Amino acid sequence: MNKTQLKKIKKTILKKETLVFDQLVKKQKEESFKFCENYKDFLNQSKTERKAAGQIVQAAEAEGFVDINTLATKKSKTIKKVYKAFQGRCVALAILGKHGLVTGANIIASHIDSPRLDLKQNPVYEDLSMGLMKTHYYGGIRKYHWLAVPLALHGTIIKANNETIDITIGEDPEDPVFTVTDLLPHLAGKTQADKKISDVFEGEKLNLIAGSLPLGSDEEKGRFKLGVLNLLNKNYGIVEEDFVSAEIEAVPAEKARDIGFDRSMIGSYGQDDRVCAYTSLKAILNTRSPDRTAIALFFDKEEIGSEGSSGAKSNFLEDFMSDLLFIGGENTDNRALRKALINSSCLSADVNAAMDPDFKEVHEAMNAAKLGFGICMTKFTGVGGKSGSSDASAEFVGKIRQIFNKNNIVWQTGELGKIDQGGGGTVAKFLAKFGMNVLDCGPAILSMHSPFEVSSKADVYMTYLGYKAFYSDND
Ligand code: MN
Ligand code: MN
């Protein structure tokens, strides 16, 4: 066999890995960078699930999407683009297709909640000469990430008279911020050096410094706590009991930034999973009259197991689908709904872990995702022998692969770490229970669940193009 023949055989039968930046021509590269400028704005405006839901609804309305709840009493043949927001924390968008919904929809499901520190229901106290606030962390965090960094507060408070107060403190450069203190290295030795990392950082020590100006003279007991509460009362009209009916989240105050001399990457809090929320949002907003109904779902509570009324385990999708059947003038009985669900195809839009140059040992190089190599298909997730994974079928992975290849989407595959190294899950299995085909599909990022997650602009852009191609697929 001569060299030319060998080269031809290699080219034909070996799987190729493509770096997105190798494939993008200059104009596309510029476009990908431009796309990410708006993405960074979205991240900065969407630090909590409520803020993200608000941004999504606003963007949808600007593109002519109509609140489906306002159509609930009449069938409207002319309205094709609708949305539903639920409890202010999860959202669904749809563009009705030319075919009936009963033949199935193309669904992309992401989540808009991210790990953070929630204020407890009785948060304010004082110690030494400071007012402090107790937190309970939400989702999988590495606790030391949250020490000695500036934190912003976002929250919704329901007062005793049922009035709603929304607060955002720490996002404006003029605002004050909050912080959890850390132990100085000089004194950390005896307390921390010989301990396991899980014992060193305790959840009960993730307390926010909230003030140090006392109210009243030094005979006054609790005057630092009172100082904090008094300011909250003056500025927002709230009293201590109001924290009971409040959701206040402490999140990194930093804004999304470009990373690297070449600005090819983005560093930001909350990219898991607002990178998929943003790219699927842009994909559906830029989809024109699809054959199959296009649906984008933005769930809450993924980071704590998709529980609750706004999580993927809830009836939100079924409720939205039956509304879609109704406004589309289709049969709305239970059988039609079940058929619409079982005939649907779904991309579970979530991030995977990109191989980290400093922690290669937790990955299996042949099957790990890499930064910059495009949208990542994750056939299965799970822990200890795929346990807890819905494991996409060969047929459905084949279909998505064909869509991507047909549309020049740069894709890769990824497995979340080595076998028995750990693992994780997504919303995939909660949608697969309806019988629909589901595949996990999204970009791979570094430093996942940290306050400064890293994505590649090339992957973000390719994810958007991939999602758009999926919505536009007509088979
Ligand atoms: Mn996620
Ligand atoms: Mn996550």
Side-chain angles (χ1 to χ4, degrees):
M1 189 175 295
N2 65 35
K3 270 193 166 173
T4 325
Q5 284 172 311
L6 199 64
K7 211 173 147 192
K8 198 179 155 203
I9 289 173
K10 276 188 177 171
K11 203 175 166 222
T12 317
I13 66 172
L14 288 180
K15 178 168 166 278
K16 278 178 285 290
E17 280 188 338
T18 309
L19 186 76
V20 178
F21 282 131
D22 280 340
Q23 178 170 303
L24 295 183
V25 296
K26 189 164 172 278
K27 206 170 145 255
Q28 290 172 307
K29 199 185 136 212
E30 282 166 12
E31 214 152 287
S32 74
F33 276 50
K34 222 173 93 194
F35 183 88
C36 287
E37 287 305 303
N38 293 326
Y39 167 48
K40 284 186 288 178
D41 286 342
F42 177 81
L43 287 171
N44 294 339
Q45 299 296 322
S46 309
K47 295 248 184 119
T48 66
E49 65 284 14
R50 284 177 193 264
K51 293 265 166 75
Q55 290 291 311
I56 291 162
V57 167
Q58 209 181 330
E61 283 180 342
E63 289 292 326
F65 281 71
V66 176
D67 185 348
I68 201 164
N69 294 335
T70 65
L71 304 171
T73 52
K74 58 172 193 274
K75 291 171 189 174
S76 176
K77 282 232 153 35
T78 52
I79 288 168
K80 297 285 179 215
K81 300 199 287 186
V82 291
Y83 75 86
K84 188 186 195 83
F86 186 58
Q87 296 183 341
R89 292 180 309 206
C90 67
V91 187
L93 267 54
I95 304 177
L96 291 182
K98 293 181 194 120
H99 306 323
L101 181 61
V102 79
T103 62
N106 287 347
I107 301 172
I108 302 181
S110 62
H111 66 92
I112 50 178
D113 61 318
S114 295
R116 60 184 190 245
L117 305 181
D118 285 340
L119 287 201
K120 291 196 188 194
Q121 269 28 74
N122 298 303
V124 186
Y125 70 105
E126 70 172 46
D127 204 347
L128 301 175
S129 56
M130 279 175 291
L132 297 123
M133 294 192 288
K134 296 210 71 68
T135 69
H136 194 137
Y137 67 93
Y138 171 99
I141 62 165
R142 312 208 70 189
K143 296 186 187 85
Y144 63 83
H145 282 160
W146 294 79
L147 308 177
V149 292
L151 299 171
L153 288 183
H154 294 251
T156 297
I157 301 147
I158 311 300
K159 289 168 60 174
N161 65 1
N162 207 32
E163 189 191 343
T164 302
I165 306 285
D166 288 319
I167 60 161
T168 305
I169 311 166
E171 293 295 341
D172 189 291
E174 298 296 311
D175 282 355
V177 292
F178 304 84
T179 194
V180 179
T181 53
D182 196 5
L183 191 55
L184 62 167
H186 316 64
L187 302 180
K190 270 200 173 155
T191 323
Q192 297 185 336
D194 302 327
K195 279 190 186 166
K196 282 197 306 189
I197 195 165
S198 54
D199 297 332
V200 170
F201 305 101
E202 296 169 41
E204 288 295 354
K205 288 192 173 177
L206 297 175
N207 301 313
L208 297 173
I209 293 188
S212 66
L213 278 182
L215 189 74
S217 68
D218 59 358
E219 287 125 50
E220 210 67 55
K221 233 184 124 218
R223 64 193 184 126
F224 292 99
K225 171 180 174 177
L226 209 58
V228 169
L229 286 172
N230 185 52
L231 272 176
L232 284 166
N233 185 259
K234 262 178 40 193
N235 295 340
Y236 306 102
I238 57 174
V239 297
E240 190 175 16
E241 196 185 280
D242 291 332
F243 284 107
V244 167
S245 47
E247 289 174 354
I248 303 176
E249 308 176 9
V251 299
E254 291 297 317
K255 303 281 183 262
R257 302 288 293 268
D258 287 343
I259 294 183
F261 292 113
D262 55 12
R263 297 177 170 269
S264 59
M265 293 161 281
I266 295 169
S268 172
Y269 166 69
Q271 297 203 71
D272 173 10
D273 183 32
R274 295 177 195 128
V275 64
C276 296
Y278 183 74
T279 46
S280 61
L281 172 67
K282 293 306 271 187
I284 197 166
L285 295 183
N286 291 327
T287 295
R288 303 279 169 259
S289 33
D291 283 1
R292 273 159 75 85
T293 293
I295 297 178
L297 301 170
F298 307 90
F299 283 116
D300 178 28
K301 299 282 186 279
E302 194 276 342
E303 297 295 358
I304 55 168
S306 296
E307 309 287 350
S309 49
S310 51
K313 279 187 192 169
S314 73
N315 286 333
F316 180 60
L317 175 60
E318 286 157 284
D319 186 56
F320 185 58
M321 290 274 254
S322 53
D323 281 355
L324 289 178
L325 288 169
F326 179 72
I327 63 154
E330 294 184 62
N331 194 337
T332 56
D333 65 20
N334 184 263
R335 185 171 178 275
L337 175 61
R338 280 189 287 113
K339 295 299 169 204
L341 286 162
I342 205 167
N343 289 331
S344 289
S345 299
C346 178
L347 295 184
S348 161
D350 211 336
V351 295
N352 199 327
M355 191 133 109
D356 186 321
D358 280 330
F359 300 101
K360 284 195 200 121
E361 65 275 18
V362 301
H363 297 282
E364 186 266 287
M366 274 174 64
N367 286 283
K370 294 182 206 74
L371 208 71
F373 284 83
I375 187 168
C376 173
M377 298 195 278
T378 304
K379 187 176 178 295
F380 57 86
T381 59
V383 182
K386 301 189 180 183
S387 185
S389 166
S390 64
D391 204 352
S393 70
E395 289 84 350
F396 190 56
V397 180
K399 189 184 161 175
I400 300 304
R401 180 181 153 210
Q402 283 163 38
I403 294 172
F404 286 173
N405 285 344
K406 210 163 59 192
N407 291 281
N408 290 319
I409 305 300
V410 181
W411 57 268
Q412 58 179 328
T413 61
E415 192 178 26
L416 186 62
K418 265 184 187 166
I419 294 171
D420 295 336
Q421 185 76 41
T426 63
V427 299
K429 61 178 171 182
F430 309 119
L431 296 156
K433 75 170 183 191
F434 295 114
M436 65 179 73
N437 278 308
V438 184
L439 172 63
D440 278 302
C441 206
I445 62 172
L446 292 166
S447 300
M448 192 197 292
H449 281 211
S450 82
F452 201 62
E453 300 171 316
V454 178
S455 64
S456 151
K457 288 185 179 177
D459 293 337
V460 173
Y461 187 59
M462 227 8 109
T463 299
Y464 158 68
L465 293 178
Y467 290 163
K468 206 165 144 239
F470 172 67
Y471 278 140
S472 306
D473 181 63
N474 293 324
D475 303 330

